[in-house]
Amino acid sequence: MLQNSDAEKNVIRRIAVFCGSSRGTERIFEEQAYELGKTLAVQNIELVYGGANVGLMGTVANGVMENGGKAIGVLPVFLKKVEIANLNLTELVMVDTMHQRKAKMNELSDGVIALPGGFGTLEEFFEMLTWAQLGLHRKPVALLNVDGFYDALLALVDTMVDRGFLRKENREMLLVSDNIEDLLDKMRKYEAPSVGKWLNRAGLLNK
């Protein structure tokens, strides 16, 4: 993605959304997943997601499709029965492995948002964030912190900075908001760091 001047914004045509294949315990998780999908549709941003019709995954896709938007699902063949493929999408791409799923979602998207989820959501999200840290892409990577779901995780990330395992510049790559419109605005204004994780060979190699 090309970086823009201060007066311009990143053009975001598609966003990859990672989220749970469960609905969670609080109704607000499902409500915000649907609202995110609806907002993407209204703003003419296409959804790229895991391709299932269950949990928050299905909800965010419904929010897009029921409001005239476009949604592309990427689903590994072996999960087709477990996660139940969503056949009401603009397009459903079948792949062989989880790694191919992430690579394809990265290829198709201009940015990343994570909603609440479990191990899989975090694994997918942090791989995308790590790729950004290493300079493999320059896309905005963001958390929609619904009902404080990610507060404890963010506290851990700050501990990583405080204890010398994460540079402040890389911490600032992680965009966060509990408001959808605000989060999308931050993504449009995002500028990737001019330097990657490995600044030099002398003193910062393990940060």
Side-chain angles (χ1 to χ4, degrees), residues 78-202:
F78 78 95
L79 284 180
K80 188 173 182 180
K81 293 183 179 179
V82 179
E83 292 190 346
I84 311 176
N86 192 333
L87 303 180
N88 298 313
L89 303 174
T90 308
E91 182 180 358
L92 180 62
V93 180
M94 302 303 299
V95 295
D96 292 326
T97 69
M98 296 293 284
H99 196 72
Q100 289 175 356
R101 180 196 232 178
K102 287 178 289 188
K104 189 65 175 177
M105 291 177 73
N106 176 56
E107 175 190 331
L108 292 173
S109 66
D110 300 308
V112 175
I113 292 176
L115 289 163
F119 285 161
T121 299
L122 290 180
E123 185 270 334
E124 292 165 332
F125 179 78
F126 274 107
E127 182 153 6
M128 290 296 180
L129 187 57
T130 300
W131 289 357
Q133 182 185 32
L134 295 173
L136 299 178
H137 70 73
R138 300 176 65 83
K139 304 171 186 179
V141 181
L143 289 175
L144 183 59
N145 191 23
V146 180
D147 197 34
F149 182 82
Y150 283 116
D151 285 354
L153 178 64
L154 293 168
L156 175 59
V157 172
D158 289 336
T159 298
M160 294 175 186
V161 176
D162 293 341
R163 300 205 173 184
F165 289 96
L166 182 67
R167 291 172 51 219
K168 183 179 179 181
E169 292 87 348
N170 293 136
R171 166 64 178 88
E172 292 172 353
M173 296 171 67
L174 175 53
L175 307 178
V176 184
S177 181
D178 60 1
N179 179 277
I180 294 169
E181 297 280 358
D182 179 58
L183 193 66
L184 292 174
D185 189 55
K186 287 181 177 180
M187 294 176 74
R188 291 189 179 97
K189 293 177 179 177
Y190 173 75
E191 292 187 22
S194 58
V195 293
K197 177 180 180 181
W198 314 114
L199 284 182
N200 58 56
R201 299 178 60 87

Side-chain angles (χ1 to χ4, degrees), residues 11-126:
V11 176
I12 298 179
R13 299 181 180 88
R14 289 177 178 164
I15 289 180
V17 174
F18 299 117
C19 56
S21 57
S22 299
R23 295 181 179 181
T25 57
E26 310 299 328
R27 184 166 180 79
I28 192 173
F29 298 148
E30 196 169 10
E31 291 172 347
Q32 285 294 286
Y34 187 90
E35 189 63 27
L36 175 60
K38 179 180 178 179
T39 301
L40 294 180
V42 169
Q43 296 192 13
N44 200 29
I45 300 172
E46 296 181 13
L47 169 70
V48 179
Y49 86 113
N53 68 355
V54 294
L56 298 189
M57 296 173 72
T59 302
V60 69
N62 290 342
V64 171
M65 298 302 293
E66 291 175 7
N67 290 280
K70 295 182 179 180
I72 301 171
V74 183
L75 184 68
V77 173
F78 78 95
L79 284 180
K80 188 173 182 180
K81 293 183 179 179
V82 179
E83 292 190 346
I84 311 176
N86 192 333
L87 303 180
N88 298 313
L89 303 174
T90 308
E91 182 180 358
L92 180 62
V93 180
M94 302 303 299
V95 295
D96 292 326
T97 69
M98 296 293 284
H99 196 72
Q100 289 175 356
R101 180 196 232 178
K102 287 178 289 188
K104 189 65 175 177
M105 291 177 73
N106 176 56
E107 175 190 331
L108 292 173
S109 66
D110 300 308
V112 175
I113 292 176
L115 289 163
F119 285 161
T121 299
L122 290 180
E123 185 270 334
E124 292 165 332
F125 179 78
F126 274 107

